[in-house]
Amino acid sequence: MKKISFLIALYFCGIYSFSQNITAQLIDKKTSEPVPYATIKTGEFSGAISNEEGYFTITTNNDNLKTVIISSLGYQTKTLSIQNIKDASFLIELDEAINQLNEVFISNKAPNADSIIAKVRAKIPENYSHELKKHNIFHRTTESVDFKSLDFEIEKASRAKKQSLEAANTELNTLSEKIRESDMIQFTDFKGAFYSLNKDSSKLVVNKVTKLMDFKNDFSVDHIQEKAQKIMLRYLDTTKTYKLKTGIFKIEDSLSLKKKKSEEGKNNELQLGYLNKQTRGLLKRGQFYKSSFLKGLLNPDYYEYTFEDITYNNNELNYIISFTPRKAKAKYTGKLFVSDGDHAMTRVNYSYYKNRHGEKLNLKLILGIKYIVNLSKGLFLFEKGLDNKYYPKYIKRTTGSYFYVNRDLKFIENAQGRNKIGFSIKIEGDNLSKEELLFTGHNTLNLTDFTAVKQAKVIPVKTLGKFEKTLWENEETLEPLVEMKAFGNEE
C-alpha cells in the first residue's frame, strides 16, 4: 500500500493538534516493542485500552481529568499527567515488573496449578456477577475474505445467441478477475448501552453506528452468485421469468431482471436484534455459568493445567497457568492469569490446540459444499470494581474458516419452450472475522429498570468508503489499527 506511513503520520498530527484528544503509544522500555491491551484509566471504569499496535486515544475535555493510570500485565503501573504524556512526545515507556518468584515463594515447591484452578472455581460466585447489569460498550467487527479460486463457466444454452453468450462470458471473466484482485475488508463500529437481565435475555440501545466498506467490492459468497446471476439475466429474454435450480433443488421460482434492482440503501441501517444477539454472544463467552466457554476451560476433566510463572498486574501478583486438552473433546490451549489475593481470573488467552477445529461440513461430493472453522483465538481482560467484583474490560474473538462451493446452476424459462442455460460457479477461499468489545462502564440494574428499556428495531448506519479520523472524535473507543486508518486512502 502506497503512502500509508504518510497518511498515518497526518492522522496523528491531526489528533495531537486537537486539544480535546490525545493519542499516544505504549512501548516496552527495554525492547521498544509496542505494549498491547494495556488499561488506561481516566476514571473508575472510563478510559481506554491500547490496541494491538500499542496506541490509544483518550479525550481530555473533562476538566477533572488531571492524571491517567496505565497498567498492563507484566509491567509496573504508571501514573502520568496529561502534560507528562505531551512532554514524552506521546511515546510512553513502560518498565517491566520485576519477577520475584524466589522471594515470594520461599519453599522450593512451586504452587500447584490444580489447587489454584480449584480455588478459582470455588470463588466464582464471589468474584463475578453478570445478571441485571448495564454495560456501556464499544464494539468493532473486522471482516475480510481471501478468494483462492473463482471460476465461472457457461456449460450449455438452448436457443441463446452466440453473441450474447460471448458477451456474458466476457463479463463473468471480468467479474472473476476483479474479485480475485480485490482486497476485501470491512469494518463496523457501534457504541451504546447493553442491558443484561441474564445470560439469555438482553436489550441494546445504540447511539451510533459507522461502517467502512467498498460498495463495489461487497463479495460474500451469496453476493457473488447474485452478481453472476444478474449478468446471465441481462442476456436472456427480459420479458420472461426464470426458475433457478441447482441439481434437484429449486432456489428461485421467478427470477427476473425487472423484478429486483440492487439497492444501495440496504447498507443504511442495521437490525438492533442482530446487534443485540451478536453482543450477547460475545459477552456470554466471558461469563461463568454452567456450560459457558470460560467455565469449560476450568474443567479438570477436559484440561490439564501447569504452573508456569508469576507476573504482576496493576501491582498485584498473578499466577500464570497454562492449559492443554486432556481429552479429545477439549479443543483449546492457552494461559490463565489468576490473582493471588482473591483467585479471580484477570486475563485469559486461548486458541485452538494443534489441528483441532470447530464446526465442519463436508458435502463436497454430494452438494459441492465444504466448510470448516479452522481458526478460533481470543482474549479476555477483567477489571476489579469498587464492589470487589470483576467485570470484563475487553473481549476479543477472532474466527477463521475455509469454504468451498461448486454449484451447477440452471436457468429454466417459465414458458412453453422452457429454454435453458446452465453454468457453474466454483468458489474457494478463507473468511476471517474479528470481534472486539470494550467496556467503558458498568452499573447494577433492577427489574423495573430493565423492563423500562425500549430497544428499537433498526438503527441508521453512517457508511463511508474511506476512513475519516473524525468518525469517533471525542468518544471512548478502540484506537483503529493501521489497516483501518489506511482504508480507502491507498493509491
Side-chain angles (χ1 to χ4, degrees):
M1 295 181 184
K2 299 179 180 179
K3 298 189 178 180
I4 287 182
S5 298
F6 176 68
L7 288 166
I8 301 308
L10 285 178
Y11 170 83
F12 284 123
C13 287
I15 288 292
Y16 295 150
S17 64
F18 192 75
S19 60
Q20 289 184 319
N21 280 351
I22 284 186
T23 297
Q25 186 186 28
L26 302 177
I27 61 171
D28 185 293
K29 186 174 183 178
K30 287 185 178 180
T31 67
S32 295
E33 291 294 317
V35 179
Y37 313 124
T39 299
I40 299 86
K41 293 191 69 172
T42 58
E44 181 190 350
F45 278 105
S46 62
I49 290 284
S50 61
N51 68 13
E52 295 172 33
E53 298 159 347
Y55 287 100
F56 68 90
T57 294
I58 56 173
T59 179
T60 60
N61 56 0
N62 181 355
D63 294 335
N64 296 322
L65 180 60
K66 304 299 181 184
T67 60
V68 298
I69 301 173
I70 301 173
S71 59
S72 181
L73 195 69
Y75 292 91
Q76 296 179 27
T77 299
K78 202 162 193 171
T79 301
L80 297 172
S81 68
I82 301 303
Q83 189 59 47
N84 291 152
I85 298 175
K86 294 178 179 178
D87 292 343
S89 300
F90 309 97
L91 188 66
I92 303 169
E93 296 178 331
L94 296 186
D95 296 291
E96 183 181 358
I98 299 173
N99 189 328
Q100 299 173 317
L101 180 62
N102 293 332
E103 296 179 25
V104 174
F105 302 106
I106 305 301
S107 170
N108 291 327
K109 186 177 180 181
N112 181 272
D114 291 329
S115 175
I116 293 172
I117 296 302
K119 291 178 182 177
V120 171
R121 292 198 305 274
K123 298 276 282 184
I124 285 174
E126 296 178 36
N127 287 329
Y128 304 94
S129 175
H130 58 79
E131 294 189 351
L132 281 172
K133 299 294 179 184
K134 174 190 174 184
H135 306 282
N136 296 324
I137 62 168
F138 176 80
H139 183 283
R140 172 172 294 148
T141 303
T142 305
E143 297 175 292
S144 61
V145 184
D146 178 22
F147 289 99
K148 297 178 179 178
S149 66
L150 181 60
D151 299 302
F152 302 111
E153 182 183 358
I154 297 177
E155 297 174 334
K156 59 184 179 179
S158 59
R159 295 188 182 180
K161 295 180 181 179
K162 181 179 180 181
Q163 186 177 7
S164 295
L165 293 180
E166 289 177 351
N169 271 321
T170 299
E171 280 202 58
L172 290 170
N173 289 334
T174 300
L175 175 64
S176 178
E177 290 176 8
K178 183 179 180 181
I179 293 171
R180 287 197 300 266
E181 292 172 0
S182 297
D183 182 17
M184 285 162 286
I185 187 169
Q186 67 180 40
F187 308 88
T188 304
D189 291 348
F190 71 84
K191 186 174 183 179
F194 182 81
Y195 299 83
S196 176
L197 175 63
N198 51 50
K199 66 182 179 66
D200 296 315
S201 181
S202 60
K203 296 178 182 179
L204 179 64
V205 176
V206 174
N207 303 323
K208 181 179 175 182
V209 183
T210 61
K211 181 178 286 190
L212 283 174
M213 65 176 294
D214 185 344
F215 288 104
K216 296 179 181 178
N217 291 342
D218 186 8
F219 291 132
S220 65
V221 172
D222 289 339
H223 287 155
I224 289 173
Q225 179 176 310
E226 182 182 345
K227 288 175 184 289
Q229 288 171 194
K230 287 181 178 179
I231 289 174
M232 298 295 296
L233 283 170
R234 281 206 297 272
Y235 294 97
L236 297 176
D237 186 342
T238 58
T239 65
K240 297 183 174 62
T241 61
Y242 298 83
K243 288 185 176 68
L244 178 60
K245 296 181 69 175
T246 174
I248 62 173
F249 300 101
K250 181 171 64 177
I251 301 175
E252 294 281 354
D253 187 63
S254 184
L255 274 172
S256 171
L257 180 62
K258 296 180 179 180
K259 182 180 178 182
K260 291 182 181 179
K261 297 220 179 254
S262 178
E263 298 179 7
E264 290 188 4
K266 66 183 179 181
N267 293 304
N268 291 339
E269 61 183 26
L270 282 174
Q271 297 290 325
L272 262 296
Y274 167 75
L275 295 182
N276 184 7
K277 184 178 179 180
Q278 184 183 35
T279 305
R280 185 170 67 242
L282 194 56
L283 178 58
K284 283 173 67 174
R285 294 179 70 83
Q287 295 176 335
F288 298 87
Y289 55 86
K290 187 177 180 180
S291 73
S292 71
F293 177 78
L294 282 184
K295 199 74 174 289
L297 297 184
L298 295 173
N299 189 338
D301 292 333
Y302 288 92
Y303 287 97
E304 184 174 348
Y305 307 99
T306 304
F307 175 81
E308 296 284 346
D309 205 344
I310 67 166
T311 189
Y312 290 87
N313 184 27
N314 201 20
N315 294 327
E316 293 183 352
L317 186 148
N318 275 232
Y319 304 108
I320 304 176
I321 309 292
S322 64
F323 62 93
T324 53
R326 186 186 294 274
K327 292 185 178 181
K329 288 184 179 181
K331 298 180 179 180
Y332 296 95
T333 185
K335 291 184 179 180
L336 311 174
F337 297 81
V338 180
S339 64
D340 174 55
D342 45 25
H343 288 88
M345 288 204 300
T346 60
R347 175 169 174 157
V348 179
N349 298 79
Y350 70 91
S351 62
Y352 276 146
Y353 178 73
K354 293 184 176 179
N355 295 323
R356 301 194 182 182
H357 56 78
E359 183 182 356
K360 183 178 181 180
L361 175 68
N362 190 354
L363 299 174
K364 197 170 182 178
L365 297 178
I366 302 172
L367 297 177
I369 299 173
K370 185 176 181 180
Y371 174 84
I372 180 171
V373 178
N374 50 23
L375 173 67
S376 179
K377 62 180 181 180
L379 168 68
F380 301 92
L381 296 180
F382 294 92
E383 190 172 54
K384 195 173 187 178
L386 294 178
D387 59 357
N388 289 322
K389 299 282 187 180
Y390 283 80
Y391 297 94
K393 179 64 180 177
Y394 174 74
I395 299 175
K396 181 176 76 169
R397 183 189 185 195
T398 303
T399 56
S401 59
Y402 163 84
F403 60 87
Y404 171 92
V405 178
N406 191 345
R407 289 180 177 172
D408 290 320
L409 300 172
K410 187 182 297 182
F411 289 95
I412 305 173
E413 187 180 283
N414 286 323
Q416 188 173 2
R418 295 182 62 82
N419 294 321
K420 302 174 184 178
I421 290 184
F423 75 105
S424 64
I425 298 178
K426 180 181 177 182
I427 306 171
E428 184 179 19
D430 295 293
N431 282 315
L432 189 67
S433 177
K434 179 170 67 176
E435 289 183 83
E436 297 175 274
L437 188 57
L438 174 67
F439 296 83
T440 58
H442 305 276
N443 298 99
T444 300
L445 294 174
N446 58 46
L447 186 57
T448 302
D449 295 332
F450 180 83
T451 304
V453 175
K454 303 299 181 184
Q455 178 178 294
K457 290 185 177 181
V458 297
I459 182 74
V461 180
K462 183 176 182 179
T463 306
L464 298 174
K466 68 176 183 178
F467 178 80
E468 295 180 6
K469 67 182 181 65
T470 57
L471 278 178
W472 290 92
E473 214 158 42
N474 303 324
E475 307 237 23
E476 291 181 331
T477 66
L478 291 166
E479 179 65 16
L481 298 179
V482 168
E483 65 175 354
M484 186 173 179
K485 295 169 187 171
F487 184 85
N489 292 306
E490 311 93 327
E491 289 189 6

